[in-house]
Structures are given as structure tokens and as C-alpha cells.
Amino acid sequence: MASFLSASTVGEKVLCDPFPTAATSLLQLDDKEEEKPSAKSAKKKSAATTKKSIKSNSSTKKANGSVGEKGKGTEHVNPAWGRFNAGTWMNTLACGAIIVICPILVILLEVGLFRTEFHGSIVQVLLSVYEQGPIEFAKTYGPRYSQTATIGYFAWVLFQIVLYMGLPSKICYGQLTPAGHLLPYHVNGMSAWVVSHIAYALGSYYGIIDPALIAKHWPGLIVAFNIYGYILPLFAYIKAHLAPTHTDDRKFSGSMVYDYYMGIEFNPRIGKWFDFKLFHNGRPGIVMWTLIDLSFAAYQYQLHGYITNSMVVVNILHAYYVIDFFINEDWYLRTIDICHDHYGFYLAWGSMVWLPTIYTLQAQYLAYNPYSLSNFGTALLLATGTSSYIIFRLVNHQKDLARRTKGDCIIWGKKAEVIKAKYQTADGVERETILLCSGWWGTVRHANYLADLVLSYSECAAAGLAMYGGERAWSFHLLPWTYAIFMTVLLIQRCLRDEERCSGKYGKIWDQYCAKVRWRLIPGLF
């Protein structure tokens, strides 16, 4: 069993470059991670490359020192990569608090939605907690375990596993792990999304399932999400100790709480192809995202006899994000989630619980509060959201164009401006990167994040501003804006994390780039 859980992937290519691209604005030129070998060719080269990598990694470990778990003699190739090596007592305390508080926050938000006496107001929910006390409040309003919802959810996860492993897929490669492993991935998310939605549509059309099935079982599903969200990182934690996929890609802090939250393994896998990160980050929650929206739209119709234009806007804008994610799923393999984060509670619970509950809050809110937008408001939000999505794609196109042409291209009618940066990797090889300073990337250093934020606020505005034209007296509620607030915090934090890594990697060249492109995210402000 241990060998099955820890088996290295067929076609896995082992190299020794622990520094793949850290920020979205960095474009690798000559790095080996830009090679995209087929699984067949990679398999042939794997054995020879592994021997060379082991020798190189050995010297790297000596230089970096041991950061392994006490008593196991495990060392991480690059202590500066991924999460922090050591969890201080403050880090441990903060992680423990998040593990406890985040599920409570999700439940409070959902209580505000589903209990009519709170009218979607989180402030009234908090006042009720204060007046009744946490225990009495939980007894009265807390979601209850539902066997039907739990069985249904775990059947959904199993269904997605079958699609992930069984549907035809192309093989794509991520970037090198800190220890130099280049992993192949099954990429078939678009097919899984289409099959799932066709199955849901046919089931609804023929009366096999209620189209509002998800919405009607939502409280029980929240409990099921959390059950899996806690068990999954626990399984990953135990697996990291007993049967790690790559022992040299683990990090230990000495704190069980910190390691449970931040994760120990970098790319945990079961068998040859089942990758924890790609599956759990990109399948059960994101495939369900648009189904949740559609279910709450159906529930709005069943409750009120009509579907509001605000609900339509929310469904369209959310669909932009989800469909784009799956069309460009191979791009996700080079994002911070896959390339930098270890797999623990932070990613597992976030994907299993936070994503399906918080990212869909606008649809949930409108099902119970059927506010409509004016025609002008509908057109404005659709135009803003659509424009931000188009800009998001153009931003990434400019980056890809510069990568393919090594900076020899035209952007916005002019020859692309780039800064060349050289750096040395753990194998002693000097490599070269270009930093793009033209087009959107010459305006701000994280132009894709800015477009993402505009789309997020457009989605939330469809619910948060729709109340102005609703049947009830207008009052401002913070709850529909939760997703946009979260995305603002998340993307600012990611900006800072990206730039900290790049500063350490490129030194003065990074300072030169920052002087050229002054603003991180919002021109003139940040």
C-alpha cells in the first residue's frame, strides 16, 4: 500500500532546477522547465536523468542544510521554496485559529442567508450570537448533518474521480518542483465539466432530479463539505509521513498544527496519475460552482415564480471564470497553487469548502432576496464583467506571446520592452529570464490580478446593488460583497508573495524592473 500511495508518476522527468517562474510577469527563456516532453519520451529519459539529479541534489542539500523532520533524516532541496520551513508559535497559533474560525465564518454567513429573520444581514447574525450566546445560537440556527446530503456529496466526488481518471485527456507538464521533479498531469477538466452539466440537465429535464436539488440540501451539504475538508488534509498529513510521493519535496516545521495547515508534501499523489492538487483544486468544487448557481436560479424560480436579471448576470459572469479555467487548465499547472504551495488544510479545505460556499454567495443571496437590476444596471455590469474578462485574456496573451518569441514581438504597436535577468539554479547552471515591461505588463506588475478583481466586483455588484431596485426598502448589506473582499485580500497577498520570491531570486535586476513598472496592482494607488 505504501508503494502504491507514494509511486512516482509514469513519464515523470526529474531535473534539478528548483526555481521555476515565481511571478506571472516572469517569462522563462532557456530554462528546462519550458520543455514539454511527451510522456513516452520523458519515460525513456527519466532513469538516466534521475541519476544525474540525485548527485546534483545531494550537493544542494549540503549547501542548504537539513530541514527535515526530527528523527527521519529528511532534507528539502531548497528551504527557501514554498512555505516557511519552521512554524513559530505565532504562526502555529494563527494557523490553529484559522482552522477553527473559518468554518464558523462560513456557517454564520450561510445562517444569514437561509434564516429569513436575518434578511441576509451578517450584522444581525452577529448581534444574535451576542444576545443568545454561541452555544444556544448553534443549537437554534446551526446546519444539521444530513445523511442524504453527505452520501450525495461523496457520490459526487467519486463521480468526478471517475471522470478525472477515465475521460480522454491530454498530458501536460507543470513546472519543476523544488527537488527537480517535472510531473505530468491528466488535463480533461473541460470534458468533465461538460459531462457533469449534461448529466444534471438531462436528470432535471426527465424529472430524475429536482433542478433545485443542490439549493434545497444546501445546509446539509455545508456539513458534508466540512467533513471532507477536514479529513482530506488529515489524510495528506498522514500520507506525507508514511508514504510520501517525493520525500525530497517535503517540509517539516516541528509543529503538527502548522504542518497540518500548510501541508508537508508538495505534490501528493496516489498511484501514478491521481494528483491531489489538480483534482481537488480543480474538479469537485469548480465543476460544481456553475451547477450551484443554476440550482439556486431554479430555486429562486420555485420560491418566487420568476428569475431576476441579476441572477442571470451572476450566472453569466461566473460561467466566464469557470469555463475559462477549464479551457486553460494546463495554464493552471504553472500557477502559485501548483508551483509553490504545499498541500494541507490551506488548499484542501479552501477548495472543498470555501470555494463552493463563498464563491457562489451572490446566487445564494438572490435566491432568497429576488432583487432585480435596472436595464441600465444589467447592461453596465455585463459590459464591465465581460470587458474585464477580455482584458484578463489579453493580458495573458501578451505574456505568452513574449514567451514564445523571447521578447521579439510587437505589443500595443511597439516593439516589446523587456529586461533580461540572469540567475543561477541549484544545479549550478546559469539561466536567463525576461521581464516584460510593455502593454498591460508595463502598466502594473500584476495586470491579470487587476482584471480578476474587476470581474469579482462586477459579480458581487449584481447582487449587492440589485437591492436598490428591489421590492423591499433599500439597505446596504455586506454579505453579497464577501467574495470580492476575499479576492482583494487574496490577490494583494499573492502580489506580495510573488514579489518576495522574485526579489530574492533576481536581486538588483528585480529592483530595476520595479523602478520601470512602478505599480503593483492599481495604477496610481498600489
Side-chain angles (χ1 to χ4, degrees):
M1 176 61 74
S3 61
F4 172 73
L5 292 174
S6 62
S8 295
T9 308
V10 167
E12 176 183 320
K13 185 175 181 181
V14 183
L15 299 172
C16 190
D17 179 5
F19 292 103
T21 304
T24 50
S25 56
L26 301 181
L27 310 175
Q28 300 292 343
L29 289 177
D30 304 320
D31 292 9
K32 293 181 180 178
E33 62 263 38
E34 288 302 320
E35 301 173 9
K36 301 299 177 189
S38 65
K40 184 177 180 180
S41 64
K43 183 177 180 180
K44 291 179 179 179
K45 297 178 181 179
S46 179
T49 314
T50 302
K51 293 179 181 178
K52 182 179 179 181
S53 176
I54 290 172
K55 182 177 180 181
S56 179
N57 286 349
S58 177
S59 61
T60 305
K61 291 176 186 177
K62 292 179 182 178
N64 288 330
S66 173
V67 292
E69 185 184 25
K70 185 176 181 180
K72 289 185 178 288
T74 306
E75 296 177 340
H76 194 287
V77 168
N78 178 23
W81 186 260
R83 67 169 176 81
F84 294 115
N85 300 321
T88 65
W89 69 270
M90 283 294 293
N91 286 336
T92 299
L93 184 62
C95 291
I98 292 173
I99 291 170
V100 174
I101 292 174
C102 279
I104 296 175
L105 176 61
V106 167
I107 291 172
L108 291 178
L109 290 171
E110 299 298 339
V111 168
L113 281 172
F114 295 116
R115 293 289 184 164
T116 56
E117 57 265 44
F118 297 119
H119 305 295
S121 172
I122 189 63
V123 175
Q124 292 187 33
V125 172
L126 293 175
L127 287 174
S128 181
V129 173
Y130 175 76
E131 292 171 356
Q132 296 187 41
I135 296 177
E136 191 61 33
F137 179 88
K139 290 180 179 179
T140 305
Y141 299 110
R144 300 291 187 266
Y145 170 81
S146 165
Q147 185 178 27
T148 301
T150 302
I151 292 174
Y153 176 66
F154 282 98
W156 166 258
V157 174
L158 289 173
F159 176 58
Q160 291 305 310
I161 291 175
V162 171
L163 297 181
Y164 177 71
M165 300 299 293
L167 287 176
S169 62
K170 61 180 179 178
I171 306 302
C172 295
Y173 287 80
Q175 290 186 331
L176 292 171
T177 70
H181 302 282
L182 185 61
L183 306 180
Y185 294 84
H186 273 167
V187 175
N188 57 8
M190 192 70 240
S191 299
W193 184 87
V194 170
V195 169
S196 299
H197 283 68
I198 289 177
Y200 197 88
L202 291 176
S204 300
Y205 181 80
Y206 288 105
I208 300 173
I209 60 173
D210 183 344
L213 174 71
I214 298 173
K216 290 181 177 179
H217 289 86
W218 195 240
L221 284 171
I222 291 175
V223 176
F225 293 161
N226 275 283
I227 291 173
Y228 193 51
Y230 276 93
I231 291 176
L232 181 60
L234 178 61
F235 178 82
Y237 178 88
I238 295 172
K239 178 185 177 299
H241 285 82
L242 301 181
T245 304
H246 299 111
T247 57
D248 47 3
D249 268 328
R250 296 181 297 172
K251 278 193 175 182
F252 298 93
S253 69
S255 166
M256 292 179 62
V257 173
Y258 187 78
D259 287 346
Y260 174 79
Y261 177 80
M262 293 301 297
I264 297 173
E265 278 202 86
F266 200 73
N267 291 101
R269 292 189 167 199
I270 293 180
K272 298 175 180 179
W273 288 103
F274 187 79
D275 186 86
F276 275 51
K277 274 187 183 179
L278 181 60
F279 175 76
H280 289 102
N281 289 15
R283 297 307 170 81
I286 295 187
V287 173
M288 186 186 278
W289 184 345
T290 40
L291 288 178
I292 293 170
D293 286 345
L294 291 171
S295 181
F296 275 98
Y299 196 41
Q300 184 187 65
Y301 182 82
Q302 292 179 8
L303 288 175
H304 309 288
Y306 58 92
I307 296 177
T308 61
N309 55 10
S310 54
M311 178 69 84
V312 174
V313 171
V314 166
N315 273 260
I316 291 174
L317 296 184
H318 282 181
Y320 282 162
Y321 185 93
V322 173
I323 295 173
D324 177 83
F325 176 88
F326 288 121
I327 290 176
N328 299 283
E329 189 176 13
D330 60 335
W331 166 83
Y332 182 65
L333 302 179
R334 297 180 291 279
T335 62
I336 194 169
D337 290 348
I338 302 294
C339 296
H340 298 287
D341 290 332
H342 290 250
Y343 195 77
F345 183 89
Y346 170 75
L347 285 180
W349 186 89
S351 300
M352 296 298 100
V353 184
W354 188 260
L355 188 153
T357 57
I358 303 303
Y359 286 28
T360 63
L361 270 176
Q362 304 94 54
Q364 298 174 48
Y365 181 83
L366 289 170
Y368 292 91
N369 303 275
Y371 297 116
S372 294
L373 293 162
S374 65
N375 291 334
F376 174 76
T378 301
L380 178 63
L381 289 179
L382 276 176
T384 303
T386 303
S387 298
S388 63
Y389 168 72
I390 293 172
I391 291 173
F392 179 82
R393 290 265 41 98
L394 290 174
V395 166
N396 286 293
H397 171 71
Q398 288 182 354
K399 179 183 66 176
D400 293 338
L401 176 63
R403 175 183 288 120
R404 290 196 307 270
T405 62
K406 299 183 179 181
D408 186 17
C409 58
I410 303 298
I411 294 180
W412 284 3
K414 299 179 181 179
K415 182 174 174 57
E417 295 183 42
V418 299
I419 296 176
K420 293 185 177 181
K422 293 184 178 180
Y423 63 97
Q424 192 175 67
T425 56
D427 55 359
V429 177
E430 187 175 71
R431 305 184 187 278
E432 189 175 65
T433 289
I434 61 173
L435 310 177
L436 180 61
C437 307
S438 293
W440 295 105
W441 298 100
T443 305
V444 291
R445 301 198 288 271
H446 302 274
N448 53 344
Y449 289 173
L450 177 59
D452 206 354
L453 273 180
V454 175
L455 178 58
S456 300
Y457 276 92
S458 299
E459 295 164 356
C460 291
L465 297 182
M467 62 182 71
Y468 184 76
E471 299 173 356
R472 303 174 187 170
W474 182 84
S475 61
F476 178 78
H477 288 164
L478 187 63
L479 194 148
W481 299 91
T482 303
Y483 172 65
I485 295 170
F486 164 72
M487 288 298 291
T488 301
V489 175
L490 174 69
L491 294 181
I492 289 176
Q493 183 250 9
R494 286 197 169 186
C495 283
L496 300 177
R497 288 178 65 190
D498 285 348
E499 299 199 0
E500 182 180 5
R501 290 190 180 98
C502 293
S503 178
K505 178 178 178 181
Y506 300 107
K508 293 181 180 180
I509 298 297
W510 180 254
D511 295 336
Q512 179 184 345
Y513 169 71
C514 292
K516 179 78 173 178
V517 184
R518 180 181 176 186
W519 303 106
R520 284 191 178 100
L521 191 63
I522 303 175
L525 185 62
F526 176 71

